[in-house]
Amino acid sequence: MAQNEFWQGNKAIAMGAIAAGCRFFGGYPITPSTEIMEVMSEELPKLGGKFVQMEDEIGGIASSLGASIAGKKAMTASSGPGISLKQELLGFGYIAEIPLVVADVMRGGPSTGLPTKVSQADVMQAKWGTHGDHGTIAYAPCSIPECYTLTVKAFNMAERFRQPVLVMADEVIGHMREKITIPEPGTYKVVDRKKPTVSPEEFIPYRPDEDDVPPMPAFGDGYRWHITGLTTNEWGFPTNDAPDIDLKANRIVRKVDRFRDEIVEYKEDFMDDAEIVVVSYGSVSRSSLRAIKELREQGVKVGHFRPITLWPFPDKEIAAFSKRVKRIIVPELNAGQMVREVERAVYGATTGCDVIQKNLINGELYKPAEIMAFIKEVA
């Protein structure tokens, strides 16, 4: 039966990974994500999985990629500076098309920054942190139940699209505790990567199916498969041939873009008659909703739109409602990262809607009263 627990967000991420079938974790301790690693060190051995504390963040993601190549669902976790260190191997995961989930519990920066304080400073890093073009999938939970369910979804997307996927909880979500009802196994979807349906002699490692995703054998399954960080042809060998490069480079972007509408998730509250809309995510969305509910009682027509997927960004959905509202307010725990995407969506829709940013980068969380006062100020 489903059971109730009182969990920390980081524990919910770890347990969601295990529920999705994760059986390898390679990492390195760093505040405020360390509890994910601690839970995995306790739980994975009970299930025949492997936990490895590596010498640094780079080793953590490298070992996890290796485990995925060997056929295991794998995960690593970190925060701010550690995510910066992982970027080179994230790029390797994208170009070599290796499923992996990366949990990023965001803290303030740059550099060592604010290890114990909240921030949402990694939004653009998640999309553009590693060089080159690729499709990005990143989830932003706002509750402990979402830490669990979105981690399961992250594994499903990593396996389906053969690439790294990020779970981006800010420090408050990672460290807060609340009730979670753990769903029974079998009541939620678990996706495994596609395996080849041809013989080893007929196998072409990077020849995609109709969905632009190639089947993926595990090392040891008897299939020959060359892996490199260089751009390759369909055989997996480096190429300088323009048509081959074009096929590979565009496909690793297109395989996500073409399924954008299936991937993008968001939640709307009080949007039917809204004249002002607050767009916020993660812990900020909780403060925003509290403020909005109080303002609604005062007769202010304000709604809330929460991106659940930060990437792909729900730009089409924001563009649609921007045509019928006067103002969009974007409170963030950074100097203005997601607001640029909101502006791009709104101004691309050529509406008369104003986009107003509100930023906080002192390591504190927005109080509902602060958001409420700002809404009144610009209403």
Side-chain angles (χ1 to χ4, degrees), residues 33 65 74 99 107 127 159 208-209 282 291 334 337 348 357 362:
S33 74
L65 288 167
R107 70 191 228 190
K127 175 68 173 174
E159 295 286 310
D209 291 338
N334 55 51
Q337 295 190 21
Q357 69 184 75
N362 64 359

mmCIF file of all heavy atoms in Angstrom, residues 33 65 74 99 107 127 159 208-209 282 291 334 337 348 357 362:
data_model
loop_
_atom_site.group_PDB
_atom_site.id
_atom_site.type_symbol
_atom_site.label_atom_id
_atom_site.label_comp_id
_atom_site.label_asym_id
_atom_site.label_seq_id
_atom_site.Cartn_x
_atom_site.Cartn_y
_atom_site.Cartn_z
ATOM 1 N N SER A 33 23.527 19.587 -1.311
ATOM 2 C CA SER A 33 22.992 18.368 -1.940
ATOM 3 C C SER A 33 23.447 17.090 -1.254
ATOM 4 O O SER A 33 23.031 15.998 -1.643
ATOM 5 C CB SER A 33 23.412 18.309 -3.418
ATOM 6 O OG SER A 33 24.786 17.966 -3.527
ATOM 7 N N LEU A 65 28.415 8.138 -15.733
ATOM 8 C CA LEU A 65 28.297 7.916 -17.181
ATOM 9 C C LEU A 65 28.784 6.521 -17.548
ATOM 10 O O LEU A 65 28.177 5.829 -18.372
ATOM 11 C CB LEU A 65 29.081 8.985 -17.943
ATOM 12 C CG LEU A 65 28.486 10.391 -17.947
ATOM 13 C CD1 LEU A 65 29.510 11.402 -18.445
ATOM 14 C CD2 LEU A 65 27.225 10.459 -18.803
ATOM 15 N N ALA A 74 21.721 5.484 -13.829
ATOM 16 C CA ALA A 74 22.734 6.114 -12.986
ATOM 17 C C ALA A 74 22.390 7.560 -12.678
ATOM 18 O O ALA A 74 21.676 8.225 -13.432
ATOM 19 C CB ALA A 74 24.105 6.038 -13.650
ATOM 20 N N PRO A 99 22.279 8.135 -21.161
ATOM 21 C CA PRO A 99 21.274 8.493 -20.157
ATOM 22 C C PRO A 99 21.912 8.751 -18.792
ATOM 23 O O PRO A 99 22.782 7.986 -18.348
ATOM 24 C CB PRO A 99 20.367 7.267 -20.105
ATOM 25 C CG PRO A 99 20.621 6.523 -21.378
ATOM 26 C CD PRO A 99 22.050 6.791 -21.732
ATOM 27 N N ARG A 107 22.456 26.751 -4.919
ATOM 28 C CA ARG A 107 22.901 27.659 -3.873
ATOM 29 C C ARG A 107 23.464 28.922 -4.534
ATOM 30 O O ARG A 107 23.590 28.999 -5.741
ATOM 31 C CB ARG A 107 23.974 26.996 -3.018
ATOM 32 C CG ARG A 107 25.295 26.805 -3.742
ATOM 33 C CD ARG A 107 26.246 25.911 -2.985
ATOM 34 N NE ARG A 107 27.587 26.467 -2.886
ATOM 35 C CZ ARG A 107 28.650 25.791 -2.442
ATOM 36 N NH1 ARG A 107 28.508 24.527 -2.088
ATOM 37 N NH2 ARG A 107 29.827 26.368 -2.340
ATOM 38 N N LYS A 127 20.947 25.252 -19.132
ATOM 39 C CA LYS A 127 20.736 25.260 -20.583
ATOM 40 C C LYS A 127 22.029 25.445 -21.355
ATOM 41 O O LYS A 127 22.260 24.793 -22.368
ATOM 42 C CB LYS A 127 19.741 26.390 -20.917
ATOM 43 C CG LYS A 127 19.495 26.607 -22.408
ATOM 44 C CD LYS A 127 18.767 25.460 -23.066
ATOM 45 C CE LYS A 127 18.406 25.791 -24.505
ATOM 46 N NZ LYS A 127 17.821 24.638 -25.205
ATOM 47 N N GLU A 159 16.214 8.065 -20.088
ATOM 48 C CA GLU A 159 16.235 6.776 -20.774
ATOM 49 C C GLU A 159 15.584 6.873 -22.147
ATOM 50 O O GLU A 159 16.068 6.283 -23.116
ATOM 51 C CB GLU A 159 15.499 5.737 -19.917
ATOM 52 C CG GLU A 159 16.163 5.428 -18.588
ATOM 53 C CD GLU A 159 17.404 4.585 -18.738
ATOM 54 O OE1 GLU A 159 17.347 3.547 -19.416
ATOM 55 O OE2 GLU A 159 18.455 4.969 -18.172
ATOM 56 N N PRO A 208 19.457 6.194 -35.819
ATOM 57 C CA PRO A 208 18.259 6.403 -34.998
ATOM 58 C C PRO A 208 17.034 5.702 -35.546
ATOM 59 O O PRO A 208 16.929 5.418 -36.739
ATOM 60 C CB PRO A 208 18.078 7.927 -35.041
ATOM 61 C CG PRO A 208 18.627 8.318 -36.386
ATOM 62 C CD PRO A 208 19.788 7.386 -36.627
ATOM 63 N N ASP A 209 16.078 5.458 -34.659
ATOM 64 C CA ASP A 209 14.745 5.041 -35.067
ATOM 65 C C ASP A 209 13.954 6.270 -35.516
ATOM 66 O O ASP A 209 14.491 7.384 -35.573
ATOM 67 C CB ASP A 209 14.032 4.340 -33.904
ATOM 68 C CG ASP A 209 14.655 2.993 -33.570
ATOM 69 O OD1 ASP A 209 15.327 2.415 -34.455
ATOM 70 O OD2 ASP A 209 14.468 2.531 -32.428
ATOM 71 N N GLY A 282 9.980 26.718 -8.248
ATOM 72 C CA GLY A 282 10.689 26.288 -7.050
ATOM 73 C C GLY A 282 10.077 26.863 -5.790
ATOM 74 O O GLY A 282 8.862 27.074 -5.693
ATOM 75 N N ALA A 291 0.829 34.784 -1.421
ATOM 76 C CA ALA A 291 0.537 36.196 -1.652
ATOM 77 C C ALA A 291 -0.683 36.367 -2.555
ATOM 78 O O ALA A 291 -1.551 37.212 -2.309
ATOM 79 C CB ALA A 291 1.756 36.884 -2.264
ATOM 80 N N ASN A 334 17.686 35.190 -8.171
ATOM 81 C CA ASN A 334 18.879 35.438 -8.980
ATOM 82 C C ASN A 334 18.761 36.859 -9.528
ATOM 83 O O ASN A 334 17.800 37.566 -9.219
ATOM 84 C CB ASN A 334 19.030 34.399 -10.101
ATOM 85 C CG ASN A 334 17.796 34.308 -10.976
ATOM 86 O OD1 ASN A 334 17.285 35.305 -11.478
ATOM 87 N ND2 ASN A 334 17.281 33.087 -11.163
ATOM 88 N N GLN A 337 17.258 35.636 -14.560
ATOM 89 C CA GLN A 337 17.607 34.610 -15.544
ATOM 90 C C GLN A 337 16.370 34.123 -16.293
ATOM 91 O O GLN A 337 16.297 34.241 -17.517
ATOM 92 C CB GLN A 337 18.333 33.447 -14.854
ATOM 93 C CG GLN A 337 19.674 33.868 -14.268
ATOM 94 C CD GLN A 337 20.527 32.700 -13.800
ATOM 95 O OE1 GLN A 337 20.349 31.558 -14.214
ATOM 96 N NE2 GLN A 337 21.480 32.991 -12.933
ATOM 97 N N GLY A 348 7.900 38.318 -28.351
ATOM 98 C CA GLY A 348 7.771 37.593 -29.610
ATOM 99 C C GLY A 348 6.330 37.448 -30.035
ATOM 100 O O GLY A 348 6.025 37.310 -31.222
ATOM 101 N N GLN A 357 10.504 42.389 -13.676
ATOM 102 C CA GLN A 357 11.297 41.447 -12.901
ATOM 103 C C GLN A 357 11.450 41.919 -11.459
ATOM 104 O O GLN A 357 11.419 43.113 -11.157
ATOM 105 C CB GLN A 357 12.674 41.241 -13.533
ATOM 106 C CG GLN A 357 13.612 42.434 -13.475
ATOM 107 C CD GLN A 357 14.912 42.132 -14.211
ATOM 108 O OE1 GLN A 357 14.962 42.112 -15.439
ATOM 109 N NE2 GLN A 357 15.976 41.922 -13.449
ATOM 110 N N ASN A 362 20.325 37.751 -1.938
ATOM 111 C CA ASN A 362 21.019 37.870 -0.652
ATOM 112 C C ASN A 362 20.993 36.582 0.163
ATOM 113 O O ASN A 362 21.332 36.572 1.343
ATOM 114 C CB ASN A 362 20.416 39.013 0.166
ATOM 115 C CG ASN A 362 18.962 38.764 0.549
ATOM 116 O OD1 ASN A 362 18.389 37.738 0.188
ATOM 117 N ND2 ASN A 362 18.358 39.701 1.268
#
